[in-house]
Amino acid sequence: MVVLTTPSIDHFPIVDNSFIDPSLFNDVPIIDLSEPDSINLIVKACEEFGFFKVINHDVPMEFISKLESEANKFFSSPLSEKLKAGPAEPFGYGNKQIGPNGDIGWVEHILVPTNSEFNYQKFASISSLNPDNIRAAVNDYVTEVKKMACEVLEMLAEGLKIHQRNVFSKLLMDEKSDSVFRVNHYASCSEIDEFNGNNVIGFGEHTDPQIISILRSNNTSGLQILLKNGHWISVPPDPISFFINVGDSLQVMTNGRFKSVKHRVLTNSVKSRLSMIYFGGPPLNEKIAPLPSLLEGKDSLYKEFTWLEYKKSAYKSKLADNRLVMFEKMANS
Ligand code: GA4
């Protein structure tokens, strides 16, 4: 018999959060998508932070709320029902386990592919939910968010003076694009004294593998990003905006000009956090390498690899690992 045990609270990693300077909260760049001038700001944000917040986007609030309500119904269901929507690998419901290599966090999640087939009947065990409604809510939301992701990627291509405006966005538009969608639920975690500066880690520090990640959360804080100077800053939540980060693949395609930002999520002692993230990735057979027009005589920092090769090695890594080191070129090689 397989006994599923949930690791006890003292097995969860904790960070001392007391040194974070609140004056840094306002540093996160804000990009107004309705402003044509934002192209330069967005390039700068990807170089400096690998992260920015987007306002005045066209994603209808109605789609966001619909999905949020389906997700809340799912996560408030009995654990025994949710577990029937597992295991998490490769897709489905996961609880506390992150990835296949022993990482844990104070989080439960749903992960689904956005282009390949996924059988939403996996959610039929949830008495309060209709699998067809979840499928529709995910599809509506992802369609809109993907449109916005492509718009942002086209602005970036233009800002980088790349002739082919869709050089990045075409990878997400490809019917074989290996993009995934994840909903994370961080239950409030009162066991740890937050006021003494200690927080239980919901999702440990990591970079995202794909090209671009588009995150929307409810009004509960928790997300932090690592600045170039080695300091973590907290990102104040904003449920009507999106937060976007550069992934490892975009870092490589820009030969390191854009930074794949390290980020993590800390739990809140009173409120639960719900976040939904669209991870826009390339097709599996796509070759990932710096774009020739961005090299301008400089050496490529990376060996060429396919997205499949990257993924195979990523799924052997631990969450916090730097997954690009093995594709870096040695100096003079
Ligand atoms: C981090 C970003 C996405 O959530 C994810 C994660 C994936 C998983 O949970 O299965 C990974 C992780 C993420 C990075 C390295 C590998 C893969 C767990 C892990 C140890 C879905 C993704 O694409 O990469």
Side-chain angles (χ1 to χ4, degrees), residues 1-28:
M1 188 178 75
V2 181
V3 183
L4 286 172
T5 51
T6 307
S8 85
I9 188 74
D10 12 281
H11 290 101
F12 284 86
I14 284 170
V15 286
D16 178 0
N17 200 18
S18 52
F19 60 89
I20 291 190
D21 177 355
S23 67
L24 294 172
F25 285 9
N26 297 328
D27 277 11
V28 173

Side-chain angles (χ1 to χ4, degrees), residues 89 98-101 103 109 111 180 182 184 203 206-210 279 307 314-315 317-319 323:
E89 302 290 336
I98 300 174
N101 302 315
D103 286 287
H109 77 269
L111 185 64
V180 294
R182 176 172 199 137
N184 286 325
F203 211 112
H206 67 286
T207 60
D208 289 343
Q210 294 80 359
F279 299 95
W307 173 238
Y315 277 89
S317 70
K318 296 282 278 184
L319 192 58
R323 281 169 278 281

Side-chain angles (χ1 to χ4, degrees), residues 131-171:
D132 292 332
N133 291 349
I134 314 183
R135 177 200 299 278
V138 170
N139 285 350
D140 287 347
Y141 176 87
V142 167
T143 305
E144 291 297 320
V145 166
K146 178 175 162 183
K147 239 190 263 167
M148 193 253 284
C150 288
E151 190 187 329
V152 165
L153 289 172
E154 288 173 16
M155 287 167 76
L156 287 173
E158 193 180 327
L160 290 170
K161 315 233 162 14
I162 298 168
H163 290 304
Q164 200 189 349
R165 207 177 135 79
N166 69 349
V167 67
F168 305 123
S169 61
K170 68 173 194 218
L171 303 174

Side-chain angles (χ1 to χ4, degrees), residues 58-195:
D58 288 332
V59 179
M61 201 57 207
E62 173 202 339
F63 290 165
I64 299 176
S65 309
K66 182 89 195 66
L67 186 56
E68 183 168 25
S69 120
E70 293 292 319
N72 281 332
K73 276 191 247 167
F74 175 85
F75 288 116
S76 57
S77 304
L79 183 61
S80 57
E81 288 185 14
K82 292 187 282 191
L83 286 171
K84 289 190 191 134
E89 302 290 336
F91 297 114
Y93 172 72
N95 190 317
K96 310 284 189 303
Q97 255 84 16
I98 300 174
N101 302 315
D103 286 287
I104 57 168
W106 190 258
V107 63
E108 53 180 340
H109 77 269
I110 297 168
L111 185 64
V112 295
T114 69
N115 285 321
S116 48
E117 274 309 301
F118 177 72
N119 185 1
Y120 279 81
Q121 289 308 319
K122 245 192 160 179
F123 295 107
S125 55
I126 314 294
S127 47
S128 60
L129 282 181
N130 173 343
D132 292 332
N133 291 349
I134 314 183
R135 177 200 299 278
V138 170
N139 285 350
D140 287 347
Y141 176 87
V142 167
T143 305
E144 291 297 320
V145 166
K146 178 175 162 183
K147 239 190 263 167
M148 193 253 284
C150 288
E151 190 187 329
V152 165
L153 289 172
E154 288 173 16
M155 287 167 76
L156 287 173
E158 193 180 327
L160 290 170
K161 315 233 162 14
I162 298 168
H163 290 304
Q164 200 189 349
R165 207 177 135 79
N166 69 349
V167 67
F168 305 123
S169 61
K170 68 173 194 218
L171 303 174
L172 272 56
M173 292 309 289
D174 194 305
E175 60 175 19
K176 294 210 182 82
S177 138
D178 182 35
S179 299
V180 294
F181 179 64
R182 176 172 199 137
V183 186
N184 286 325
H185 175 244
Y186 304 89
S188 61
C189 183
S190 56
E191 279 84 347
I192 296 292
D193 185 2
E194 206 182 302
F195 298 102

Side-chain angles (χ1 to χ4, degrees), residues 24-30 49 51-53 225 233 235 243:
L24 294 172
F25 285 9
N26 297 328
D27 277 11
V28 173
I30 300 179
F49 293 82
F51 185 85
F52 53 94
K53 165 167 150 170
I225 59 168
I233 59 167
V235 178
F243 293 94

